[in-house]
Amino acid sequence: MTHARPSITLLALFVIAALTGCGTPGSSAPAASLPAASGGTGFDTTQKVTLTMWDAETSPGPSKAEDELISEFERRYPNVTVHRVVKSFDDYMATIKLAASSGDAPDVFQGNEGYAVDQALIRAHLIRPLDTQAKAYGWDSRFGSAATMAPLRWSQDGSAWGTGTLWGVAQKAEVLGVYYDKDVLDRLGLQPPSTFAEFEHTLAVAKSAGVPPIMVGGLDRWPLGHVFMVLQALYEQPSAIASWVYGRPGASFDTAGTRRAAEVFARWGARGYFEDGFDGVSQQSAAARFAKGDGLYFITGPWENQTFAGQLGDRVGFFPMPGAGGRDAPTTGALSLPFHVSARSKHPDVAAAFIDFLTSPHAAQLMIGHGDLPSADPGGAAGGTGSSLREISQAWTSKAKAGALVPYLDWATATMGDTMFGGLQQLSQGHITPAAFAAAVQRDWETAHS
């Protein structure tokens, strides 16, 4: 959740949030049909093969989609049987590295971007490079742009992140943006903002009318990070954010653009734009209240769409944070947990073909019909006009194609989540200055990358 994505701890929270609902929020997508075989499977279809797959998809709707895709793959290739093992996120992340190093390692399994999982898998030589398969299957262009794949690339020895060899492909995606309650906006006499200045104007109007402008669970701290990340993406160059997250020499968080974003964040706190008492409210409680019509905005990712659209239906909308002057600004987003091919698999070609099927446009159509945001473009299956899931899918597709996605900031170091989110909590209450916040975050980074 971020899948985000964010650190493992944060992702676990996202998964918990996802477990609160199921179904097809904001979507009226038709049932996906099994596409015709394209030929050229890249593996011997006369030999019986059993693939073992591990994943962490326990949410009912998305998990059902996974089962349906497996059944379709087995019907297409009757010589292949897929044995699926599903674990809760925490259990999965606690065991996947041990499983990948065992004598009966799963052929296909999910990792997690960053230092804790993917880097460890690469350094231990437990997964295979996939550049050849990416070229054969067209993965480099499947997910919008080559830049989208950067979080899945590492050097051969796993020392450098964000460039080099491709080690995995993701089935799902995440993009941060702004959910809004259309009825509340209309009641306030407002229109969806098209510039950042208009967005701040709507915050002031809501506050003056006694409507919480932004619902956020400050008690959990990490949700404040998502609010800050969309602001930083407005004021800092995407390449500079990426360089810092990937730990490249000379990168810095303590820049004029980041301090400007911190100033806006602090101003929102001082003006009471976050709901009253937000510092003692969990994200789950804040989301539940927004889903009941409390508040104007909620800044987060697609994992909450189920929570909101499940109750509000087409009354909930979604848009990426607009930039100054209405420019199409970058935002935070990334591919979700990547699928890897085990270095110990006896059937790597079959495993690659299976991953290709799981991440295909056809799979995207089926997944979005189950309320999930796929990494590939689902086309017309994304739901009708007014669907929040369609708006999220459009935001992901457009940002990915434009190369306008920046990675989650808490990926930068193993301790960054604690440092950054704790700092934002203090910043929101006026306990530290924007300059002090930026300096503290940079110190964490320099300690980790020195």
Side-chain angles (χ1 to χ4, degrees):
M1 350 155 261
T2 139
H3 315 288
R5 283 148 8 279
S7 65
I8 287 178
T9 302
L10 179 53
L11 267 171
L13 294 167
F14 293 163
V15 170
I16 291 170
L19 287 170
T20 60
C22 62
T24 57
S27 171
S28 58
S33 59
L34 186 63
S38 59
T41 63
F43 64 88
D44 184 355
T45 58
T46 66
Q47 300 296 316
K48 291 289 186 182
V49 172
T50 297
L51 289 182
T52 300
M53 164 193 178
W54 274 38
D55 69 84
E57 189 53 84
T58 56
S59 299
S63 186
K64 183 180 179 182
E66 214 73 85
D67 288 337
E68 291 179 12
L69 288 170
I70 290 171
S71 295
E72 289 187 1
F73 189 78
E74 291 174 332
R75 289 202 302 274
R76 175 177 288 190
Y77 304 111
N79 63 309
V80 178
T81 300
V82 178
H83 173 60
R84 182 185 178 207
V85 176
V86 186
K87 291 177 176 285
S88 66
F89 183 81
D90 287 345
D91 188 20
Y92 186 92
M93 289 302 162
T95 57
I96 187 56
K97 285 184 285 188
L98 182 61
S101 63
S102 69
D104 59 347
D107 300 276
V108 173
F109 59 90
Q110 289 178 314
N112 192 8
E113 291 99 330
Y115 298 103
V117 179
D118 278 6
Q119 184 187 49
L121 293 171
I122 295 165
R123 286 187 162 177
H125 307 292
L126 296 177
I127 57 178
R128 295 174 183 266
L130 296 176
D131 287 301
T132 301
Q133 290 82 359
K135 183 177 181 180
Y137 287 111
W139 294 343
D140 282 337
S141 58
R142 177 173 294 177
F143 309 106
S145 71
T148 310
M149 306 283 276
L152 308 179
R153 294 188 180 278
W154 290 80
S155 59
Q156 281 282 346
D157 63 358
S159 62
W161 187 17
T163 186
T165 300
L166 181 71
W167 296 94
V169 181
Q171 187 183 38
K172 300 198 297 183
E174 298 168 358
V175 60
L176 296 186
V178 184
Y179 289 91
Y180 68 104
D181 189 320
K182 298 175 184 176
D183 284 6
V184 173
L185 196 72
D186 184 64
R187 192 165 69 243
L188 293 170
L190 299 168
Q191 297 292 321
S194 59
T195 68
F196 187 68
E198 290 179 4
F199 180 80
E200 287 208 291
H201 172 70
T202 62
L203 296 178
V205 172
K207 179 64 178 176
S208 65
V211 175
I214 299 173
M215 304 291 284
V216 63
L219 182 63
D220 293 327
R221 303 199 305 176
W222 60 264
L224 298 173
H226 290 171
V227 176
F228 176 77
M229 289 178 204
V230 299
L231 291 175
Q232 192 208 26
L234 299 181
Y235 295 106
E236 186 57 278
Q237 291 296 317
S239 59
I241 296 173
S243 291
W244 183 80
V245 170
Y246 297 140
R248 292 169 184 159
S252 180
F253 187 81
D254 193 0
T255 65
T258 296
R259 288 193 295 273
R260 177 74 185 282
E263 289 168 1
V264 174
F265 182 89
R267 184 171 72 228
W268 286 4
R271 291 181 178 177
Y273 289 168
F274 304 129
E275 64 171 315
D276 290 344
F278 71 95
D279 206 30
V281 176
S282 70
Q283 183 77 338
Q284 185 175 3
S285 295
R289 289 174 50 215
F290 182 79
K292 292 180 179 177
D294 294 347
L296 177 58
Y297 295 128
F298 202 108
I299 299 173
T300 189
W303 51 87
E304 289 289 12
N305 185 61
Q306 185 76 20
T307 305
F308 304 149
Q311 295 197 51
L312 298 175
D314 287 349
R315 177 177 154 185
V316 65
F318 179 93
F319 58 81
M321 182 66 78
R327 68 182 176 87
D328 194 11
T331 192
T332 302
L335 295 168
S336 190
L337 303 180
F339 277 109
H340 299 300
V341 175
S342 170
R344 302 187 177 192
S345 175
K346 296 178 181 178
H347 312 289
D349 291 339
V350 185
F354 180 52
I355 290 177
D356 177 68
F357 188 79
L358 292 178
T359 61
S360 66
H362 164 70
Q365 294 170 12
L366 190 146
M367 290 175 61
I368 205 163
H370 284 275
D372 223 343
L373 178 63
S375 53
D377 188 351
T385 302
S387 158
S388 55
L389 188 57
R390 180 184 180 88
E391 293 167 338
I392 295 168
S393 178
Q394 290 174 332
W396 162 257
T397 300
S398 65
K399 300 294 184 187
K401 285 182 177 178
L405 294 166
V406 296
Y408 289 90
L409 297 177
D410 57 314
W411 286 357
T413 74
T415 56
M416 188 52 68
D418 286 340
T419 300
M420 179 172 292
F421 303 150
L424 288 170
Q425 194 173 45
Q426 292 182 295
L427 188 63
S428 67
Q429 298 168 337
H431 293 166
I432 60 173
T433 66
F437 164 72
V441 170
Q442 181 63 16
R443 281 196 298 273
D444 180 304
W445 187 92
E446 290 176 354
T447 299
H449 294 288
S450 60

